[in-house]
Amino acid sequence: MSVNKKGRRKIVCNARLFYWYVQPDYDDCGQIKLNIVSDDKKWIVSYEVGQSKNPKTPHIVIKGREFEGLDRSGWQGWMRVQTPIWKDTIITPELVKTIIEWCFHKKERLIVVDWKGEII
């Protein structure tokens, strides 16, 4: 089953097609989220917009089965990992590309956090 393309922007990164959109998440008090999904729906992430203004280190929510450097065996549900601090007050295609490239870049260590952003 393919991705719903209505209202989504398209971006090609690392020779792979992704769709992205920004919308409020009413299950999370209406926080504005950037959602990025691969065309085959194996790679899905969500990033809360405006985290660069928070005192805590920002994090990304991994919803899909695929993520570089992450072993999903034995883990059910979503995972959250710390990210670099990006200029995220305005969501641009360049920021989306930066997030995708970071997610697919080999990392020495991923820091897993809980829903509050606290290190587990």
Side-chain angles (χ1 to χ4, degrees), residues 1-114:
M1 186 181 211
S2 67
V3 175
N4 178 7
K5 297 168 183 79
K6 187 174 183 179
R8 311 303 196 244
R9 298 215 33 204
K10 190 181 349 181
I11 189 167
V12 176
C13 191
N14 299 333
R16 197 164 168 190
L17 180 61
F18 296 91
Y19 293 93
W20 64 279
Y21 58 99
V22 178
Q23 71 179 24
D25 183 355
Y26 296 110
D27 291 335
D28 192 11
C29 301
Q31 296 291 329
I32 306 298
K33 303 283 177 112
L34 165 64
N35 299 284
I36 311 170
V37 59
S38 64
D39 192 38
D40 60 4
K41 293 171 118 176
K42 290 183 180 178
W43 186 89
I44 305 168
V45 297
S46 178
Y47 179 80
E48 185 178 316
V49 177
Q51 290 187 71
S52 61
K53 295 178 183 177
N54 295 341
K56 290 188 179 183
T57 305
H59 64 276
I60 197 163
V61 180
I62 304 164
K63 299 179 178 181
R65 296 177 301 209
E66 211 178 274
F67 193 86
E68 182 63 44
L70 187 64
D71 180 16
R72 296 285 305 220
S73 62
W75 189 283
Q76 293 187 0
W78 299 351
M79 290 186 80
R80 293 162 184 84
V81 296
Q82 284 186 346
T83 65
I85 298 172
W86 295 306
K87 294 180 183 177
D88 61 357
T89 52
I90 299 174
I91 303 302
T92 63
E94 187 63 34
L95 175 62
V96 174
K97 182 180 177 190
T98 301
I99 291 173
I100 293 170
E101 288 175 345
W102 178 83
C103 290
F104 281 97
H105 185 270
K106 287 241 186 244
K107 297 167 234 6
E108 274 187 37
R109 181 174 162 235
L110 285 173
I111 300 172
V112 179
V113 296
D114 64 10

